[in-house]
Amino acid sequence: MVTVKGFFLLLSLPLLSQLLPLHANGISSNTTSCPVKERRALWKLKAGLKDPYGWLSSWTGRDCCEWVGVSCDNDMGRVVKLDLRGSDICDVVDDDDNAPESAPEDYKPLCLSGHVSPSLLALKHLTYLDLSHNNFQGNPIPSFIGSLKRLTYLNLSQASFGGLVPPQLGNLSNLHYLDLSSEFSSHQALRVSDLNWLSGLSSLNYLNLGGVNLRKGSARWPEYVNMLPSLMELHLVECQLSEFPKSLSSANFTSLSVLDLSFNNFNSTIPRWVFNITTLLELTLEVSELEGSIPAFAEGALCGLQKLDLFLNNLTGNIREVAVGLSGCNNSSLETLDLSCNNFNGPLPDSLGLHKYLRVLQLSVNSIWGPIPSSLGNLSRLVEMDLSANNMNGTIPESIGQLSKLTTLALARNSWEGIVTESHLLNLKELESLSLSSYRASSLKFRFTRGWVPDFNLSSIEIKNCQLGSDFPKWLKNQKKLSSMTLSGAAISGTVPDWLWELSRQLGILDLSQNRIVGKLPRFLDFGFEATVNLASNRLEGSFPFWLNVRELSLKNNLVSGPIPANVDHHMSGLDYLDVAYNLLTGDLPSSVSKLKNLVYLDLSNNALSGDIYAGWAVMPKLKILDLSENNFSGHIPCQMCSLLPSLEWLKLSTNNISGKLPSCSLNCTGLSTLDLGKNRLHGLIPRWTEESLNKLSELILQSNSFSGRIPEQLCNSLNLHVLDLTNNNLFGSIPKCFGNMSGMKLLGMEFSDTPTFLTNSEVHIYYSGSLELNMKGRPMEYFELIPLVKMIDLSRNKLSGEIPPEISNLSALKTLNLSNNKLMGSIPGKISRLKQLETLDLSFNRLSGQIPPGMSSMTFLNSLNLSYNNLDGEIPRGNQFTTFNPSSFEGNPGLCGFPLSRNCSTPTGLDAQDQDDEDKGNEEDDHGELWFYTSIVLGFLVGFWSVCGTLVIKSSWRQAYFRFADKMKDKLYLAVQLKTAWLRRNWENRT
């Protein structure tokens, strides 16, 4: 009977064989040649394979046991092992000739392709088959492999097999080791129709399906894996799994020690049953879209766990709770703890210092706060510690200096304070990488004794926003292995010492930006291969340098002067990033710049360059970002611009003297997202875009030119346009109603699909934030990395007429709308109150009439409003933001009244109402007095009339006397008039 010890030894044999060299040397201890049938089977296999370097040339002669990659048993000479594992370099095989592209001349890798012959079925005793790291060019895995019933080891990983995984592999009941992993990004990826076939692999100890598309088996993958009672390692990396069941009916993972489910799309919490697998030694769940908190598990439940890797998820919770679950062990086995790039918070617990076997502690990019516990100084085996990019504060404890095995110490991007002395680094003799910075500028100071020489020998140092001192640290002179040096914002002044320039040949990164360094730049330097050099924001002077082997160079904001050399392409041909903005460069832009074929980013803005902007340019196939603004360039924008710059995404030529019309053919750059031609002398119509190029456009700035004509309605079709600045031109006509269709103005944040590539471009390592000058809130403001958050339409200072289209209220994410200084008429659309995100609204100096829509008081984000100099009337809305605006926002509108203007409206409210009521009462009393006055007149007339006339009617003698008196008075009046007339006539005749 096989003992328990012997049984486990038997199970471990396949794993042990993997650890041993798998490239058989073809020597077998048997003295019997292999059977003829098996030899012929191998020859047929060779015939179906392509072997460009002749690795199978030894497959001749009678004894196949002597052949490369073939091993036989010692008794009968039967083939039991076939190890044809290729080389890693085989991944770059050229499909035309099957020869590796990048192999050195004296290196001949094993790299097979072609077809696997079914003659392998003749190898009846084959237990070990390894065809990994070859290139079978998408051919399917042969289904006949499922008939090799004696197989215990099958490795087909990284062999470029494609198509469906044959379910016949489920017939290999003796299989202990199965590896079908591949790069999922390959177009030749493997896939499964289901996972039922796994249930037949009852003896399996190791399963790796990394990169195999398991989408169709995603829902039930734990159920099938649970049928493998002997499984010790499970690797399902990048398998497109989306289901992570919260519970299992029965967990049978009694042997599982390694579980790796990284790079999947779970979008769920980590189920509790995962932490109930007490046999786990390694748990890796990197980049799997996990969220929520880690389920609570009993203290001491995972004392055997050696590795916990949850890198780059969206996990939350207090870091202390995680630490408690890992504590409570008399003898913790934890060696690796990686919780970086999540949302854990809280202070680091002292219990972390109890994991005496811990070698890797990665907690970067979280929200951990508080100081570093001094107990971490007890982790004597710690090799890597990364606490960068958190909210940690306080002083750095000197106990860190006791970590004698430490090779990497990363404490950058926190809020440290205090003083760092040599005591903090005293025993770090193995230290190779040091990273330290503080968000609190100048709060962290370095103070080393003069002449101090550290015991370590760094290869990388990164110190930012700290006070290193006025001089360069002299102790760095003894760091002979340095390949990366970053001393940015370190308050360094004076000149660069000669010994540092002499290190240039070994440096791959040199960053001395944002200091107060003076002196002259060396004209010639030879850096390490593809170096990144950042000397921005200093006071360095001199001419444009010739520095060999520099890939990325930033001399921004210095005193570099003179012309750009005409032969810059000969000396710096490897440049892909060049920033010499804010300097004193003069002269023309030489055509040699366009011969830098690897250039991705070019910023020469804010200099004194002049001449024709595109004179003699050649094609720059990789250039994505071009900023030549704030110079004196002239000339025209050529029609062939997009063919010269086919990869262009960001073009900024503002504030120059560029003239002429803007041809439509110059706007056919299919990747252009930002176009800034403001403050030039361009004229004519705004041209049309192709549909493809318009869909990419995010920011269009044509301000302060002389463009005329109507605003092209084609702009309404843009999917991503969120900054439209056409201010200060000669545009006329109405505002297109279709503006309400602009998708980019309806999406908050960076949700629009075409985020400019430079924001995430891995090719550019010196970060480019971009900058655009936009008129916001009545003044110019410069925007950098927040550009994608800006949603703006500025059509001010044109000759636009007609009404404001109500459809503009559909732009729900719009933050700035400026239509001032035009000839707009009509009323302000009532629906404008739908623009809840609007912060700035300027409709001044138009001919708008009617009332201000009352609903505008609900626009609570509105903090800048200008409706002055229109024909608006009525009461100004009250409440919310309208209580904060100045009278100048409404001046020049005679019909407006109410706060903040001094003119009260006809129906006031509040304190004025009482005074008005008193006035109304007085007016009412006056009205009653007038009524009685006129009534008394009428009554008096009636009484007087009838008192006289009534008497004359009734008494005849009085009536006769009255009329005789009237006749006598009439005669006297007639006689007096006649006498007077005769006298006047005589006097007139005497005078003549």
Side-chain angles (χ1 to χ4, degrees):
M1 178 178 292
V2 179
T3 64
V4 174
K5 182 177 180 180
F7 175 74
F8 280 104
L9 180 61
L10 179 62
L11 288 180
S12 65
L13 281 176
L15 297 178
L16 291 175
S17 63
Q18 184 193 14
L19 299 176
L20 295 174
L22 296 182
H23 291 285
N25 58 12
I27 299 176
S28 178
S29 58
N30 67 295
T31 57
T32 306
S33 62
C34 64
V36 174
K37 186 176 181 181
E38 295 186 359
R39 184 167 65 249
R40 290 175 178 172
L42 293 174
W43 278 338
K44 289 182 180 180
L45 174 65
K46 177 184 176 182
L49 297 174
K50 296 180 181 179
D51 178 20
Y53 286 103
W55 272 88
L56 303 184
S57 59
S58 66
W59 284 26
T60 59
R62 296 176 55 83
D63 190 1
C64 62
C65 298
E66 299 291 333
W67 296 353
V68 169
V70 180
S71 296
C72 305
D73 63 17
N74 293 329
D75 297 328
M76 304 297 294
R78 293 170 296 197
V79 176
V80 295
K81 180 177 180 180
L82 189 57
D83 185 358
L84 299 180
R85 179 186 177 95
S87 306
D88 292 342
I89 203 170
C90 189
D91 294 338
V92 294
V93 165
D94 189 300
D95 289 343
D96 295 332
D97 55 11
N98 295 320
E101 296 174 349
S102 59
E105 293 183 2
D106 57 346
Y107 180 64
K108 295 183 179 181
L110 173 58
C111 186
L112 303 175
S113 59
H115 299 273
V116 180
S117 171
S119 63
L120 281 180
L121 292 174
L123 307 180
K124 301 294 185 181
H125 299 274
L126 191 66
T127 61
Y128 186 109
L129 177 60
D130 190 344
L131 300 176
S132 63
H133 291 271
N134 285 290
N135 185 5
F136 290 99
Q137 301 173 320
N139 289 325
I141 296 175
S143 58
F144 66 78
I145 291 180
S147 300
L148 299 172
K149 298 296 183 65
R150 291 178 179 266
L151 277 182
T152 60
Y153 182 98
L154 178 60
N155 190 348
L156 305 179
S157 64
Q158 311 300 332
S160 297
F161 284 112
L164 200 65
V165 174
Q168 290 85 348
L169 295 183
N171 298 330
L172 303 177
S173 57
N174 292 313
L175 203 61
H176 294 167
Y177 185 102
L178 176 60
D179 189 350
L180 304 180
S181 61
S182 62
E183 298 292 339
F184 181 79
S185 58
S186 170
H187 64 281
Q188 300 163 345
L190 291 165
R191 67 183 190 280
V192 299
S193 57
D194 58 56
L195 292 173
N196 293 331
W197 55 274
L198 282 179
S199 60
L201 305 178
S202 56
S203 302
L204 206 60
N205 304 138
Y206 178 98
L207 176 61
N208 190 344
L209 300 179
V212 179
N213 187 342
L214 304 183
R215 184 181 299 173
K216 291 189 176 180
S218 177
R220 300 178 62 186
W221 70 266
E223 177 183 336
Y224 291 112
V225 172
N226 201 28
M227 297 178 182
L228 307 176
S230 301
L231 194 64
M232 299 171 64
E233 290 196 33
L234 175 61
H235 301 266
L236 301 180
V237 177
E238 204 173 7
C239 291
Q240 292 198 23
L241 295 175
S242 57
E243 301 289 334
F244 210 158
K246 293 185 177 180
S247 61
L248 290 177
S249 56
S250 60
N252 194 28
F253 300 115
T254 55
S255 303
L256 195 63
S257 61
V258 176
L259 177 61
D260 189 350
L261 304 176
S262 301
F263 295 92
N264 283 291
N265 310 305
F266 291 123
N267 285 308
S268 69
T269 57
I270 303 176
R272 187 180 300 273
W273 59 264
V274 172
F275 290 99
N276 291 335
I277 305 175
T278 57
T279 56
L280 272 183
L281 300 179
E282 297 183 10
L283 175 60
T284 305
L285 301 173
E286 292 184 351
V287 199
S288 292
E289 299 186 25
L290 296 167
E291 57 191 26
S293 58
I294 295 178
F297 50 93
E299 184 176 341
L302 295 175
C303 288
L305 194 66
Q306 297 175 4
K307 178 182 179 181
L308 177 60
D309 187 351
L310 304 177
F311 167 73
L312 195 55
N313 285 286
N314 194 28
L315 297 169
T316 59
N318 196 302
I319 192 72
R320 186 183 299 273
E321 297 173 359
V322 181
V324 167
L326 296 172
S327 61
C329 306
N330 294 328
N331 192 17
S332 172
S333 302
L334 193 65
E335 297 180 5
T336 299
L337 178 61
D338 191 345
L339 305 179
S340 55
C341 299
N342 282 283
N343 291 313
F344 292 111
N345 55 41
L348 289 181
D350 290 328
S351 60
L352 279 177
L354 301 176
H355 299 284
K356 60 182 180 180
Y357 293 107
L358 196 64
R359 300 181 70 254
V360 176
L361 179 61
Q362 294 275 359
L363 302 177
S364 63
V365 196
N366 279 285
S367 299
I368 301 170
W369 48 267
I372 300 175
S374 58
S375 63
L376 293 190
N378 300 327
L379 302 175
S380 58
R381 290 179 171 84
L382 199 64
V383 176
E384 296 181 23
M385 180 165 70
D386 190 350
L387 306 179
S388 58
N390 279 286
N391 298 321
M392 302 187 72
N393 51 30
T395 59
I396 299 172
E398 291 187 0
S399 59
I400 294 294
Q402 304 304 315
L403 303 176
S404 58
K405 301 291 185 182
L406 205 63
T407 62
T408 299
L409 176 60
L411 304 177
R413 289 178 289 167
N414 283 286
S415 297
W416 307 118
E417 58 186 23
I419 298 174
V420 175
T421 67
E422 56 260 39
S423 298
H424 291 84
L425 309 174
L426 186 61
N427 294 317
L428 306 183
K429 298 180 180 180
E430 304 295 327
L431 195 64
E432 297 178 358
S433 177
L434 173 62
S435 165
L436 183 58
S437 66
S438 178
Y439 288 129
R440 300 178 60 183
S442 304
S443 62
L444 186 65
K445 301 177 177 62
F446 284 74
R447 187 172 298 166
F448 298 134
T449 58
R450 186 178 298 275
W452 175 66
V453 178
D455 292 330
F456 51 74
N457 198 354
L458 296 176
S459 61
S460 172
I461 182 171
E462 178 186 342
I463 297 178
K464 293 184 176 181
N465 299 326
C466 303
Q467 288 195 8
L468 271 176
S470 58
D471 298 326
F472 271 85
K474 293 183 179 180
W475 57 270
L476 287 175
K477 184 177 181 181
N478 299 306
Q479 305 299 300
K480 303 299 183 182
K481 293 170 53 180
L482 271 178
S483 61
S484 175
M485 178 189 293
T486 297
L487 306 176
S488 176
I492 299 173
S493 58
T495 60
V496 179
D498 292 338
W499 60 261
L500 195 150
W501 294 127
E502 292 170 0
L503 287 176
S504 62
R505 185 176 291 274
Q506 68 187 58
L507 290 176
I509 295 177
L510 176 61
D511 186 350
L512 305 178
S513 61
Q514 300 182 33
N515 285 290
R516 297 188 293 270
I517 303 171
V518 298
K520 195 169 184 178
L521 289 170
R523 188 67 190 275
F524 297 96
L525 284 176
D526 188 357
F527 279 86
F529 179 67
E530 294 189 341
T532 295
V533 182
N534 187 0
L535 305 179
S537 299
N538 284 286
R539 304 293 292 173
L540 294 164
E541 57 188 37
S543 56
F544 195 97
F546 288 126
W547 292 350
L548 301 179
N549 297 319
V550 174
R551 180 181 178 187
E552 300 166 8
L553 175 62
S554 177
L555 299 175
K556 182 177 182 178
N557 196 16
N558 277 283
L559 301 173
V560 181
S561 59
I564 300 174
N567 56 347
V568 64
D569 56 315
H570 295 160
H571 296 271
M572 307 181 75
S573 58
L575 274 177
D576 66 16
Y577 182 106
L578 178 59
D579 188 349
V580 201
Y582 292 91
N583 278 279
L584 306 173
L585 295 175
T586 57
D588 296 342
L589 183 61
S591 60
S592 58
V593 172
S594 67
K595 297 176 183 177
L596 296 170
K597 299 302 183 183
N598 293 313
L599 209 59
V600 176
Y601 167 83
L602 176 61
D603 188 351
L604 301 175
S605 62
N606 289 273
N607 280 282
L609 297 168
S610 58
D612 195 329
I613 194 163
Y614 280 112
W617 271 43
V619 176
M620 302 182 73
K622 297 182 179 180
L623 191 68
K624 294 185 177 182
I625 300 158
L626 176 61
D627 189 348
L628 302 178
S629 61
E630 303 278 353
N631 280 286
N632 297 315
F633 288 117
S634 57
H636 305 277
I637 295 178
C639 191
Q640 65 270 28
M641 182 186 73
C642 293
S643 58
L644 290 173
L645 309 173
S647 301
L648 196 62
E649 297 180 6
W650 177 286
L651 178 61
K652 185 177 181 183
L653 304 179
S654 58
T655 318
N656 280 286
N657 292 311
I658 303 171
S659 58
K661 294 183 177 180
L662 184 61
S664 59
C665 53
S666 66
L667 300 177
N668 294 336
C669 306
T670 56
L672 191 64
S673 64
T674 300
L675 177 62
D676 184 355
L677 303 178
K679 299 182 181 179
N680 279 288
R681 296 190 292 116
L682 296 166
H683 64 271
L685 301 177
I686 297 177
R688 294 179 59 84
W689 275 259
T690 63
E691 182 177 354
E692 185 178 5
S693 61
L694 186 63
N695 287 338
K696 294 285 185 178
L697 194 64
S698 298
E699 297 97 19
L700 175 61
I701 302 171
L702 302 177
Q703 63 158 306
S704 301
N705 280 282
S706 298
F707 287 109
S708 57
R710 298 178 180 272
I711 299 174
E713 293 192 2
Q714 188 195 21
L715 293 175
C716 304
N717 301 325
S718 173
L719 299 177
N720 296 311
L721 189 63
H722 64 97
V723 172
L724 177 60
D725 188 352
L726 305 180
T727 183
N728 199 16
N729 280 283
N730 297 315
L731 301 172
F732 57 81
S734 59
I735 300 173
K737 294 182 179 181
C738 62
F739 264 30
N741 300 332
M742 290 184 175
S743 302
M745 307 283 188
K746 300 179 182 180
L747 300 174
L748 292 173
M750 297 171 62
E751 300 172 22
F752 44 87
S753 61
D754 188 49
T755 302
T757 306
F758 66 87
L759 292 175
T760 55
N761 186 10
S762 61
E763 293 179 274
V764 178
H765 302 135
I766 300 178
Y767 181 74
Y768 175 65
S769 60
S771 66
L772 291 177
E773 185 180 288
L774 304 172
N775 289 313
M776 307 289 281
K777 303 178 183 179
R779 62 184 185 275
M781 299 177 65
E782 194 164 13
Y783 285 81
F784 294 90
E785 56 271 358
L786 295 180
I787 291 171
L789 303 180
V790 178
K791 316 288 180 177
M792 185 192 85
I793 295 178
D794 191 346
L795 307 179
S796 63
R797 298 184 182 278
N798 281 284
K799 300 176 182 178
L800 299 173
S801 57
E803 297 185 350
I804 300 174
E807 291 82 0
I808 210 164
S809 62
N810 296 333
L811 307 180
S812 54
L814 192 65
K815 294 181 180 292
T816 296
L817 177 61
N818 190 345
L819 306 178
S820 65
N821 289 275
N822 281 287
K823 300 177 182 179
L824 298 173
M825 303 175 66
S827 59
I828 300 174
K831 295 180 180 180
I832 201 170
S833 59
R834 293 181 180 178
L835 301 178
K836 301 298 184 184
Q837 301 295 322
L838 200 66
E839 298 175 1
T840 301
L841 176 62
D842 192 346
L843 305 179
S844 62
F845 292 94
N846 279 287
R847 301 172 184 175
L848 300 172
S849 58
Q851 294 187 342
I852 301 174
M856 288 182 64
S857 61
S858 65
M859 301 167 69
T860 54
F861 282 8
L862 192 64
N863 55 46
S864 178
L865 175 67
N866 193 350
L867 303 179
S868 62
Y869 297 98
N870 282 283
N871 298 314
L872 300 172
D873 55 37
E875 184 177 8
I876 297 173
R878 303 186 181 191
N880 294 328
Q881 301 299 99
F882 274 78
T883 62
T884 66
F885 297 136
N886 296 321
S888 59
S889 297
F890 307 98
E891 65 184 2
N893 292 279
L896 283 179
C897 60
F899 184 84
L901 298 178
S902 58
R903 290 189 298 276
N904 294 326
C905 297
S906 59
T907 310
T909 58
L911 295 176
D912 293 334
Q914 185 174 354
D915 297 335
Q916 186 66 36
D917 290 341
D918 295 338
E919 184 178 346
D920 290 344
K921 289 179 180 178
N923 292 338
E924 186 177 349
E925 292 175 359
D926 292 340
D927 292 340
H928 287 302
E930 285 185 8
L931 177 63
W932 283 108
F933 172 75
Y934 289 114
T935 302
S936 62
I937 291 176
V938 172
L939 290 174
F941 171 78
L942 292 175
V943 171
F945 178 81
W946 286 109
S947 297
V948 175
C949 295
T951 303
L952 296 176
V953 171
I954 297 172
K955 197 167 180 68
S956 61
S957 59
W958 286 19
R959 181 170 65 249
Q960 293 172 0
Y962 174 76
F963 285 113
R964 284 196 299 269
F965 173 76
D967 288 337
K968 186 182 293 186
M969 292 302 296
K970 180 187 70 171
D971 293 337
K972 286 183 177 180
L973 181 61
Y974 177 77
L975 178 61
V977 171
Q978 289 296 325
L979 291 172
K980 187 67 175 177
T981 304
W983 180 79
L984 289 173
R985 184 181 297 116
R986 282 196 305 269
N987 286 342
W988 175 260
E989 291 174 351
N990 292 332
R991 289 180 181 180
T992 58

